[in-house]
Amino acid sequence: MGVSVRKAMQIGGLQQCKVVAGEQGLDRTIDYITVMEVPDVIQWLKGNDLLLTSLYAIKDDEEAIGRLVDQLDEVGSSALAIKTHRYVTEIPEAIIEAGNRLRLPIIQIEGEVSYLDIMTPLMELLLRSREADNEALEPFFQWITELAMGGKGIQPLVEAVQQITENPITVGSDIPSLDSLHKGRNVAPLTLAQKNELKTAKRSIRMQRLLDNQETSCIVTPLLFNGTLYGDVTCWQTTRDFRERDLIVLDRMVLLLALEFLKAITKADVEQTFKDDFLSEVLLGNLKDKEEVISRAALFGWDLRKNYQVLSIAFAPKASENVEQQDPLILQEEKRKLLRKIKEIFRFDAHKIIESIQRDVLVVLYPIPREILKGEPKSKRPRLSDGQEETIRSVADSLIQQLAQEFEDIKFVIGVGRFHPGLEGIHISYMESMKAIKLSKPISRDSGCIHYEDLGIYRILSPFADQEEKEAIYAETIGKLVDYDRSNNSNLVTSLNEYFAHNCVLSETASKLFVHVNTMKYRLQKIEQLTGCSVHDAEERLLLHIGLKLHSIL
């Protein structure tokens, strides 16, 4: 516990000094003593500081002098003591006015009083006070430790700390199974900037936050695990000014709260593992007893009697290293973050999604109401209505944009399977979504969202098809052109690709390639000569088309 400014004026060299402004703030508490002889010292103040200065660093800067007291009040300083007669003959009027306005004591240090005359006796008193204060806290620490070890939960810890700090305590949590504790108070969430500040500092920080819609001074202590912010403990300055020991109490409380958070994280991980293992069987089509599968799913709160659209989200670091080469703890933390973000994205959605992690793929089952299906003959696969097709595409596009924005160092590719009704449809749609991901490189180019329905000929050219046959077709067609291009520094493959892209119109193709039409005719003749396939024969042209698609894959 610190010393009030009023009491400090009766100690050591301050007995020979006088308060010239801000007398109403004499009950402010001093925890630290700092000397200012450089302009930027204010940013290093901790709060509850007695600042000693001759104003030398800013004596010629009227603007800095005018701002000084306001800046000190903003960081929670206790008093400003100015030594006169050396660099300033008297305390500037702007400082006197601000001291009275903000009730921050302004002290005039007489010429014969040195900084050491003030600092030495005051520091001795502060140190004795801190030692006594820490000793007084030991029984309290023992009490809250017993509360934590006794499994009493978070609420008793909060109530105990509120007694010692004499200020309200709230606990924020990003863990879905662990509700935030605000005791009926309206607490504004931490902003992204505040979260980043806490993650950088890794310690308690003074902040201004909204409590019951009012800007309130507070101390925020982060709950960090593996660099991830899972929550915060906030002490609000509503009853009395903060003391130094409040920081000690909050730091000890956070260590004990970490046990509760770790229990919640571990429980969530175990539950998620059970969910992932069960859903894996559904996605892979292991459905021996459908009714049993539906009953087991109900234990997780899932209704597998509904129809679902499957979205698979592959993720990997943008750097060259493979996901498997990452630290397992870091990888597990990344998966937790991704799952929490998925839940956050869909938290206001009218339809309850099912989310799961399958190795390095996030799987989202998006419910499809039966009434929006198109009427199709029984022999055909039911299709979504045009509006719902557009909704699914919008959901997938929005999902990848939000993930990419949140996780800048991770690359995402979303594979979207076609809609298939029923429990078996989940398996089929999942397999299609995974095929779409595997073919994302030749298909997507810049897009990160691949719909199986858009794959076209690639559906039969996927890695699941016979590799030897694909290589044979490739070697007989485009492979010959590739070899020729390499040997002769030509571009027959590009020319053929552009020719097909422009619907076999010679003039448009030539214009696109910036060559004469006759040059394009010669290239087509050379292609026919090398491959034995005529670009004017439908069957042989299809073979060249397929060869180009294989070229993209192989």
Side-chain angles (χ1 to χ4, degrees):
M1 183 175 178
V3 176
S4 70
V5 178
R6 190 185 305 277
K7 184 175 181 180
M9 295 301 298
Q10 303 169 15
I11 299 169
L14 284 177
Q15 296 179 82
Q16 303 174 49
C17 302
K18 61 181 178 180
V19 178
V20 296
E23 290 88 351
Q24 291 178 311
L26 287 174
D27 290 323
R28 292 192 182 216
T29 301
I30 299 172
D31 286 323
Y32 305 97
I33 308 170
T34 306
V35 177
M36 183 186 87
E37 297 302 357
V38 291
D40 58 351
V41 73
I42 291 174
Q43 65 179 304
W44 307 113
L45 298 180
K46 301 176 182 179
N48 290 359
D49 306 83
L50 167 61
L51 186 65
L52 309 178
T53 181
S54 65
L55 294 182
Y56 173 75
I58 57 173
K59 62 184 176 65
D60 299 320
D61 189 339
E62 291 186 8
E63 184 180 349
I65 290 173
R67 292 198 316 266
L68 179 60
V69 178
D70 289 271
Q71 290 176 317
L72 292 175
D73 186 63
E74 285 175 7
V75 297
S77 292
S78 308
L80 171 63
I82 301 173
K83 189 173 181 63
T84 56
H85 304 306
R86 185 170 184 184
Y87 298 110
V88 292
T89 56
E90 59 183 15
I91 297 176
E93 186 59 36
I95 290 179
I96 299 289
E97 182 277 325
N100 287 324
R101 171 168 49 85
L102 298 172
R103 300 180 180 181
L104 190 145
I106 308 299
I107 303 166
Q108 181 175 338
I109 303 175
E110 297 299 331
E112 65 274 11
V113 178
S114 70
Y115 288 161
L116 286 178
D117 293 334
I118 296 172
M119 296 175 68
T120 301
L122 196 53
M123 283 299 298
E124 289 177 356
L125 181 63
L126 286 172
L127 289 172
R128 287 199 303 270
S129 174
R130 287 170 188 169
E131 289 173 2
D133 211 27
N134 290 340
E135 289 175 6
L137 284 176
E138 282 309 313
F140 171 75
F141 290 150
Q142 184 177 356
W143 175 37
I144 62 173
T145 300
E146 289 174 358
L147 286 175
M149 296 306 172
K152 301 296 184 182
I154 293 176
Q155 187 59 44
L157 281 174
V158 171
E159 292 174 355
V161 173
Q162 282 183 157
Q163 289 185 37
I164 198 76
T165 61
E166 301 174 35
N167 277 315
I169 300 289
T170 60
V171 179
S173 171
D174 283 350
I175 303 175
S177 62
L178 201 61
D179 294 332
S180 298
L181 295 176
H182 295 156
K183 293 196 69 177
R185 309 299 292 264
N186 182 8
V187 177
L190 290 167
T191 65
L192 182 60
Q194 288 171 332
K195 288 182 177 181
N196 289 336
E197 188 178 357
L198 285 169
K199 286 190 284 188
T200 301
K202 299 182 178 64
R203 59 177 176 79
S204 300
I205 293 178
R206 288 177 178 266
M207 286 184 175
Q208 294 287 323
R209 294 179 63 188
L210 288 177
L211 176 66
D212 297 331
N213 300 315
Q214 289 189 347
E215 194 86 6
T216 306
S217 296
C218 57
I219 299 174
V220 185
T221 307
L223 276 155
L224 289 163
F225 302 99
N226 296 323
T228 298
L229 184 68
Y230 277 91
D232 68 272
V233 177
T234 302
C235 182
W236 303 88
Q237 185 174 292
T238 61
T239 306
R240 66 157 175 80
D241 290 344
F242 291 130
R243 303 168 184 163
E244 182 184 5
R245 78 175 193 175
D246 293 339
L247 293 171
I248 300 172
V249 169
L250 289 172
D251 286 341
R252 182 69 67 92
M253 180 192 184
V254 162
L255 291 175
L256 297 173
L257 274 186
L259 297 174
E260 297 295 329
F261 272 68
L262 282 172
K263 284 193 289 187
I265 292 170
T266 302
K267 181 181 177 182
D269 283 348
V270 171
E271 290 177 352
Q272 190 62 50
T273 298
F274 279 119
K275 290 179 179 181
D276 294 342
D277 291 346
F278 169 72
L279 195 61
S280 175
E281 298 298 308
V282 177
L283 296 173
L284 296 175
N286 299 331
L287 308 170
K288 295 178 181 178
D289 187 334
K290 294 181 185 177
E291 287 304 317
E292 182 186 352
V293 170
I294 291 172
S295 297
R296 288 176 60 195
L299 298 176
F300 297 123
W302 299 342
D303 184 0
L304 292 187
R305 297 182 188 277
K306 292 181 178 179
N307 293 319
Y308 290 92
Q309 174 78 51
V310 179
L311 293 77
S312 294
I313 309 160
F315 58 93
K318 287 184 178 178
S320 58
E321 69 267 17
N322 195 293
V323 174
E324 283 78 6
Q325 296 175 342
Q326 286 187 296
D327 186 309
L329 287 177
I330 295 176
L331 184 57
Q332 179 65 22
E333 196 57 61
E334 288 296 326
K335 290 179 179 180
R336 289 194 194 110
K337 290 181 187 177
L338 289 169
L339 267 182
R340 288 205 306 275
K341 184 62 180 178
I342 293 291
K343 292 175 182 177
E344 179 188 328
I345 291 172
F346 288 100
R347 68 188 183 281
F348 297 126
D349 200 284
H351 309 298
K352 186 178 179 182
I353 66 161
I354 296 174
E355 68 282 340
S356 173
I357 286 189
Q358 303 294 319
R359 289 181 61 81
D360 56 346
V361 175
L362 275 162
V363 179
V364 174
L365 273 57
Y366 191 83
I368 303 295
R370 294 181 183 277
E371 60 269 17
I372 64 172
L373 303 181
K374 280 186 178 179
E376 294 279 2
K378 290 185 179 180
S379 60
K380 291 186 178 181
R381 174 178 60 87
R383 294 179 58 83
L384 300 178
S385 65
D386 293 340
Q388 189 63 20
E389 287 269 12
E390 187 60 34
T391 296
I392 294 299
R393 289 180 179 269
S394 296
V395 166
D397 290 340
S398 174
L399 185 56
I400 200 165
Q401 288 174 12
Q402 293 186 62
L403 289 173
Q405 184 177 6
E406 180 84 8
F407 304 94
E408 297 179 352
D409 297 330
I410 298 178
K411 177 184 177 183
F412 296 95
V413 176
I414 296 185
V416 184
R418 293 178 297 183
F419 170 73
H420 297 272
L423 202 53
E424 299 91 341
I426 294 175
H427 162 63
I428 299 170
S429 186
Y430 169 70
M431 299 305 293
E432 290 179 350
S433 69
M434 293 303 295
K435 288 181 182 179
I437 288 175
K438 290 180 181 296
L439 287 166
S440 62
K441 187 174 181 180
I443 299 296
S444 65
R445 292 180 173 86
D446 296 328
S447 173
C449 192
I450 310 299
H451 295 259
Y452 184 81
E453 205 147 42
D454 297 340
L455 292 179
I457 193 71
Y458 283 97
R459 293 180 202 163
I460 63 171
L461 301 177
S462 73
F464 306 99
D466 182 75
Q467 184 70 13
E468 184 175 336
E469 188 62 32
K470 288 190 293 184
E471 290 177 353
I473 293 174
Y474 173 76
E476 293 166 8
T477 55
I478 303 305
K480 295 178 179 179
L481 302 184
V482 170
D483 292 339
Y484 183 86
D485 283 346
R486 286 174 181 166
S487 301
N488 297 275
N489 196 26
S490 58
N491 57 354
L492 296 181
V493 175
T494 301
S495 299
L496 182 62
N497 207 25
E498 291 295 335
Y499 180 65
F500 287 151
H502 290 83
N503 297 315
C504 302
V505 179
L506 269 174
S507 58
E508 291 183 8
T509 308
S511 177
K512 173 69 176 178
L513 295 172
F514 302 103
V515 298
H516 195 274
V517 171
N518 289 337
T519 302
M520 193 61 213
K521 287 180 180 179
Y522 168 79
R523 290 180 181 178
L524 291 177
Q525 290 172 0
K526 192 65 179 178
I527 289 170
E528 291 178 346
Q529 176 187 342
L530 291 170
T531 62
C533 298
S534 171
V535 295
H536 304 294
D537 181 275
E539 291 292 330
E540 293 176 358
R541 187 165 62 241
L542 177 61
L543 200 58
L544 290 173
H545 267 295
I546 293 174
L548 284 172
K549 302 298 184 186
L550 287 168
H551 176 64
S552 297
I553 296 175
L554 301 177

